[in-house]
Amino acid sequence: MITTDIAIIGAGPVGLFAIFEAGLLKMRCHLIDYLPQAGGQLSEIYPKKPIYDIPGFPSVLAQELVDNLMAQAKPFNPSFTFGERIESLEKKEECSFLLTTNMGTQVQAKVVVIAGGLGCFEPRKPEVAGLEKYENGKGVSYMVLDPEKYRNKRVMIAGGGDSALDWAIYLADLTKELTLVHRSESFRGAPDSVSKVMKLAEDGKIKVLVNTNLTKINGDVILKSVGLANSKTNEEQVIDVDNLIPLFGLSPKLGPIETWGLNLDKNAIEVNTDDYSTNVSGIYAIGDINTYTNKLKLILCGFHEAALMSHSAYKYMNPGIKYTMKYTTVQGVNTF
Ligand SMILES: Cc1cc2nc3c(=O)[nH]c(=O)nc-3n(C[C@H](O)[C@H](O)[C@H](O)COP(=O)(O)OP(=O)(O)OC[C@H]3O[C@@H](n4cnc5c(N)ncnc54)[C@H](O)[C@@H]3O)c2cc1C
């Protein structure tokens, strides 16, 4: 059981900045994100794009902003659970919430901050019957959380975008056998990555099968082999594998958040703009996930919301104790 002052659901830019604002008020944070890394949309969708509307930065690459936010949060020793999705959120009593992930990890917190952006990025799955039987540690995964897991294994990656190409390049040296399967002849990923993959195939380090679709998945309890069909020649084959990693992209879904008793408006959580609290005391919603009159889904608006939320959360956790705000230029960044 992880215990913390504030559980932050979502490690996008707004969740990350909330660590800093909460830290100034001596509140410790634990963040949970379904993605394998911090950064939310910035790291997942547009890491190499420049952002022009972050105050004080005429231009900053999205990933650079995430790295800076992580560095800014570091003095406050945040802890993280990556690759897990918060499924249930229960209020036990005032100042006591229990959060449980899809993997069974539990977090006990005095305050919950939902910084879930557009929701969880859910993997797009290939349409192959019985695929779900091999999920959760039985051979099929949709993200690479720990590359070491694939050392000396027979691995098949399916997909033609940047993720599929990048992981094929990375895992080529680690795996015993690596097959990259793509339904078309042309890859959507960066041309440089396509060239690297083709060179690895030429050198015999990986096998690349184009115009090929996944058709069947076999195994008793764990994955044993994958059936494939060539869409041009109709030729079929079965390849023995230990792991199949379909990387067909991610699409955001509000998911379990819908079931937590919060007032929703379409796909967003209604909040009070005094402090970005929700209809449940002790639960706040900041960043893209919330809605109110004139809401702008901008990073800088989320940062402002994180500051107001932190002061309100402090009062909620410390009733009757007055906090006098001090500028960081006066108090510095006092760690704990
Ligand atoms: C292409 C593009 C360009 C953009 N350009 C700009 C720009 O120039 N300027 C600007 O200000 N904004 C821009 N934006 C918008 C900006 O990216 C968002 O406003 C910002 O990412 C919101 O941050 P967030 O932390 O609220 O949410 P997100 O970045 O969406 O992060 C939310 C995180 O919560 C996680 N999550 C959700 N539910 C759960 C759950 N149940 N359990 C565990 N984890 C969960 C998700 O996995 C995700 O990582 C752009 C967006 C896109 C797509």
Side-chain angles (χ1 to χ4, degrees):
M1 171 84 76
I2 297 160
T3 51
T4 185
D5 293 325
I6 304 186
I8 302 180
I9 303 173
V14 177
L16 293 179
F17 190 61
I19 305 169
F20 180 81
E21 285 296 326
L24 290 178
L25 300 172
K26 305 261 182 268
M27 295 179 290
R28 213 176 265 280
C29 297
H30 182 82
L31 285 81
I32 309 95
D33 204 297
Y34 195 37
L35 292 174
Q37 76 281 321
Q41 294 172 53
L42 283 70
S43 302
E44 193 55 39
I45 304 178
Y46 60 105
K48 291 178 187 150
K49 281 196 168 191
I51 307 177
Y52 300 103
D53 55 352
I54 302 299
F57 288 90
S59 164
V60 60
L61 293 182
Q63 188 56 49
E64 201 184 329
L65 178 63
V66 171
D67 295 344
N68 286 346
L69 287 165
M70 286 292 275
Q72 197 169 18
K74 198 164 178 243
F76 300 109
N77 286 319
S79 50
F80 295 89
T81 299
F82 287 119
E84 297 187 31
R85 177 173 77 177
I86 296 294
E87 288 294 331
S88 73
L89 167 57
E90 291 168 68
K91 185 167 185 170
K92 294 290 185 191
E93 54 200 57
E94 262 331 270
C95 269
S96 176
F97 291 90
L98 182 66
L99 299 90
T100 308
T101 74
N102 58 324
M103 309 285 271
T105 304
Q106 295 201 305
V107 182
Q108 191 174 29
K110 296 175 186 161
V111 162
V112 175
V113 175
I114 305 175
L118 305 174
C120 272
F121 287 93
E122 299 273 354
R124 292 196 185 93
K125 300 182 183 182
E127 287 176 15
V128 182
L131 195 69
E132 59 292 343
K133 201 174 129 191
Y134 304 98
E135 292 173 357
N136 299 320
K138 294 186 195 106
V140 174
S141 31
Y142 305 97
M143 291 180 203
V144 179
L145 289 178
D146 175 13
E148 275 302 317
K149 207 177 114 190
Y150 303 103
R151 185 174 288 279
N152 297 326
K153 296 279 172 64
R154 297 163 305 171
V155 175
M156 182 179 287
I157 294 177
D162 281 315
S163 273
L165 294 167
D166 291 349
W167 281 118
I169 296 164
Y170 189 93
L171 294 178
D173 281 337
L174 215 67
T175 49
K176 186 166 150 197
E177 255 173 56
L178 182 72
T179 311
L180 175 66
V181 175
H182 182 38
R183 63 180 173 174
S184 148
E185 241 158 32
S186 55
F187 287 88
R188 292 184 316 281
D192 177 51
S193 306
V194 178
S195 309
K196 281 187 187 148
V197 161
M198 291 309 164
K199 176 83 177 63
L200 286 167
E202 258 172 49
D203 295 347
K205 293 200 169 144
I206 66 173
K207 190 192 269 186
V208 177
L209 300 174
V210 293
N211 298 320
T212 302
N213 292 308
L214 309 179
T215 53
K216 240 182 168 185
I217 185 144
N218 313 302
D220 294 330
V221 181
I222 58 163
L223 175 69
K224 287 263 164 60
S225 64
V226 177
L228 305 169
N230 187 300
S231 56
K232 292 245 157 106
T233 61
N234 290 331
E235 192 189 320
E236 296 190 358
Q237 62 175 312
V238 175
I239 297 190
D240 289 343
V241 292
D242 301 303
N243 298 92
L244 170 67
I245 316 172
L247 295 173
F248 292 176
L250 301 167
S251 66
K253 293 220 169 61
L254 200 53
I257 294 174
E258 278 174 336
T259 63
W260 297 344
L262 301 167
N263 289 344
L264 301 177
D265 178 6
K266 299 195 183 87
N267 275 334
I269 301 170
E270 289 179 348
V271 286
N272 175 347
T273 49
D274 286 352
D275 58 1
Y276 303 97
S277 55
T278 67
N279 58 305
V280 180
S281 66
I283 304 184
Y284 297 81
I286 57 175
D288 278 13
I289 195 82
N290 74 16
T291 183
Y292 51 85
T293 308
N294 296 331
K295 166 77 184 176
L296 290 177
K297 287 190 181 184
L298 286 176
I299 297 163
L300 79 93
C301 298
F303 288 171
H304 160 81
E305 294 164 13
L308 264 63
M309 171 283 294
S310 297
H311 283 262
S312 174
Y314 179 87
K315 283 189 202 141
Y316 174 79
M317 276 170 46
N318 303 284
I321 299 178
K322 192 169 163 13
Y323 175 80
T324 311
M325 195 197 81
K326 295 193 191 88
Y327 295 126
T328 55
T329 44
V330 175
Q331 74 164 28
V333 177
N334 293 322
T335 54
F336 45 79

